[in-house]
Amino acid sequence: MTADAIASELEVSTRTVLRDIDALSTAGVPVYAERGRLGGFALLPGFRSEFPGLNHDEALALLAAVGSKNGDHALGLGSAVASALRKVMDALPDGHHDTARTSARRFLIEPEADLLSRRTATEQIPVAVMDSVRRAVLEGKKLRILYAPTGRDAQWRNVDPIGLVTVRGKGYLLATRNGEDRTYRLSRVEEAAVLTEPAQRPDNVRLDRMWNERSARFRNGDAQMTVSARIHPTRREELANTALTVTDEDLDGDGRLRITLTFQDERHAEWALWQLGKDAEVIAPPSLQDGLYRRALGIANHYRPRDQASANARTGEI
């Protein structure tokens, strides 16, 4: 490929191309010139760049880390991670190629289900939403999101994005709104748009420390409710995904799962347990049992048969 053709492709000057080719050659990259009418610059056939100093364990760590799909999926980076891994593998020294691949097969990180066949719920985040959120975080722009908190209608709000966190396959946006700390579950963002106004946020941030501080405040809220319940094991992930924490769980003799969870408040707990219907039995607290009873009684009264004939027809009696 001629220097002029390379310059046109990269939209730089021919002088820049010649200077860079000289620098590559000095660095040990086997670039050579072919003279003649069809000549130009080419790489030595079979050449492959290597990561200097990348040993077997480091190569294995890269491959094993990608075995966990939760993080890249939660942040919408699945295809980028796969592409990056291919490039890393192509650039590994010959001595580590096959060995690293074979060794990585001996590790399984975060499989789809545990030993009780309880599947790990995978959040579905629209690509357009994830692209906008990620771009706002990286470019430092304000973000407008249509967000639906648990049990409430979605509302638009403008936020200052700080960073993205992924935990057990769930993605979160750490942000501020009107100067106050806010944490948003990415799966509950229905729409997102990057604004032109710069985000008001610190230049330097320790996301790990910020996450731990927000997590502690979240767990210690005054209105939170701890619930003990017995549920059908197949509904475990559905309920756990709506709770703040799951602190204890064990199988009863009848196959039901006894579980302890923390919810944001009593309304949140009542909504979450109601979704499970007869697949959940609240053991404590009594106030939540009363709330579910009142809710069920209200539904029953709403659909109360108008006469005995209607009641018999519904129950199959004559």
Side-chain angles (χ1 to χ4, degrees):
M1 195 171 186
T2 66
D4 289 340
I6 296 174
S8 176
E9 180 72 21
L10 300 179
E11 298 182 351
V12 297
S13 68
T14 302
R15 174 180 288 185
T16 298
V17 170
L18 294 174
R19 185 179 65 243
D20 290 346
I21 287 176
D22 185 59
L24 287 172
S25 181
T26 302
V29 177
V31 182
Y32 66 95
E34 293 180 328
R35 301 187 180 280
R37 187 169 59 87
L38 300 177
F41 293 96
L43 281 172
L44 190 68
F47 170 76
R48 183 173 64 241
S49 63
E50 295 183 352
F51 287 99
L54 190 67
N55 60 36
H56 172 268
D57 287 345
E58 291 167 339
L60 178 59
L62 285 172
L63 292 173
V66 177
S68 174
K69 300 179 181 179
N70 287 340
D72 49 80
H73 177 84
L75 299 181
L77 295 172
S79 59
V81 168
S83 175
L85 245 294
R86 286 194 298 270
K87 294 177 181 178
V88 168
M89 287 301 298
D90 286 343
L92 286 179
D94 290 333
H96 300 315
H97 233 191
D98 296 335
T99 305
R101 237 185 241 283
T102 301
S103 299
R105 297 192 185 105
R106 302 290 179 177
F107 296 91
L108 176 61
I109 302 174
E110 294 290 344
E112 293 183 355
D114 63 13
L115 286 175
L116 296 177
S117 294
R118 296 176 300 195
R119 298 182 66 84
T120 301
T122 301
E123 294 189 329
Q124 300 298 322
I125 305 171
V127 174
V129 167
M130 196 62 250
D131 287 347
S132 294
V133 172
R134 190 170 58 244
R135 187 158 64 89
V137 169
L138 296 178
E139 296 179 3
K141 302 292 187 181
K142 285 185 179 291
L143 182 68
R144 181 168 173 79
I145 59 174
L146 180 61
Y147 189 75
T150 302
R152 284 182 277 174
D153 294 333
Q155 290 185 339
W156 284 100
R157 57 202 72 191
N158 292 355
V159 302
D160 295 293
I162 296 174
L164 293 168
V165 177
T166 174
V167 181
R168 296 183 179 178
K170 300 177 181 64
Y172 298 87
L173 169 66
L174 272 57
T176 59
R177 185 183 179 210
N178 298 326
E180 297 184 359
D181 290 347
R182 292 289 186 268
T183 303
Y184 300 102
R185 184 87 163 261
L186 290 175
S187 60
R188 295 175 186 153
V189 179
E190 298 182 0
E191 297 182 46
V194 182
L195 304 179
T196 58
E197 185 180 351
Q200 300 299 313
R201 63 182 190 178
D203 293 331
N204 299 312
V205 63
R206 284 281 305 274
L207 278 186
D208 54 345
R209 182 180 300 171
M210 182 178 293
W211 176 258
N212 290 336
E213 291 173 352
R214 295 192 181 192
S215 177
R217 291 201 302 268
F218 206 54
R219 293 194 307 270
N220 298 327
D222 295 335
Q224 290 182 3
M225 170 174 280
T226 299
V227 176
S228 178
R230 295 173 71 250
I231 66 172
H232 195 285
T234 60
R235 309 297 295 275
R236 188 263 181 199
E237 291 301 323
E238 179 182 347
L239 183 61
N241 284 339
T242 65
L244 300 182
T245 61
V246 178
T247 56
D248 190 27
E249 51 186 308
D250 193 19
L251 281 174
D252 276 351
D254 61 356
R256 288 265 168 162
L257 183 65
R258 185 180 291 264
I259 188 169
T260 302
L261 313 99
T262 303
F263 293 93
Q264 192 166 347
D265 50 32
E266 185 166 359
R267 186 182 67 170
H268 179 200
E270 182 178 319
W271 176 88
L273 271 299
W274 178 260
Q275 308 306 308
L276 271 63
K278 294 190 295 183
D279 284 339
E281 174 192 354
V282 174
I283 300 172
S287 61
L288 180 58
Q289 294 174 327
D290 294 342
L292 290 168
Y293 171 78
R294 288 192 298 269
R295 183 185 285 240
L297 188 61
I299 294 292
N301 287 334
H302 181 73
Y303 291 103
R304 182 190 299 275
R306 291 186 296 274
D307 51 46
Q308 191 59 41
S310 298
N312 291 341
R314 292 189 182 185
T315 59
E317 297 178 357
I318 300 176

